[in-house]
Amino acid sequence: MNGDFFLLQYQKTAGGGMKLVDLDFRINAVDPGSTARKSFYTGKGKLLLKTVKVIPIGVSSSCELTIVRSATAEISDMKEVVYANATEYSTGNTADGIYDLVDIPYVDADGTRNIHLALKNTLSTGTAVDFRIIIEAIELK
């Protein structure tokens, strides 16, 4: 665990259901062998990540996705890493990318209400690749 402990309370909607959050991001032109670091505004400080998908757009490409607690966190510091996976350990198919069913709490450590991602195009040759990242989550109190 990354040192954060909190009571998991689901944010309920007026109808009594859970408040689902669908996050859909795009990271463009990731060169072979390079890592793109991006932070995307979610408007939420705490999420329970349920599904993580990374899909290469237009061409097949293997990749690694790391979700960290803050924009300044080092991806090599395992205390800061919330989630990490690669194509070879997920679908194994470079056309399908990463698809994971997870149950991981995410707390934005720097208070920006962003989710912080590092996406590496693990191909050694070829052209830059665009990736679509879809994260389904439940908002936590």
Side-chain angles (χ1 to χ4, degrees), residues 81-126:
V81 173
V82 175
Y83 168 87
N85 202 353
T87 301
E88 64 183 296
Y89 303 117
S90 181
T91 64
N93 184 338
T94 57
D96 294 337
I98 295 172
Y99 181 78
D100 249 349
L101 299 174
V102 297
D103 211 8
I104 301 172
Y106 175 80
V107 177
D108 175 33
D110 58 12
T112 58
R113 295 184 170 242
N114 288 339
I115 190 164
H116 310 285
L117 312 173
L119 181 70
K120 181 176 182 180
N121 179 351
T122 56
L123 294 179
S124 57
T125 61

Side-chain angles (χ1 to χ4, degrees), residues 19 21 41-47 106 108 112-114 139:
K19 185 158 186 183
V21 180
Y41 183 72
T42 64
K44 319 290 183 226
K46 297 177 183 177
L47 295 169
Y106 175 80
D108 175 33
T112 58
R113 295 184 170 242
N114 288 339
E139 183 178 354

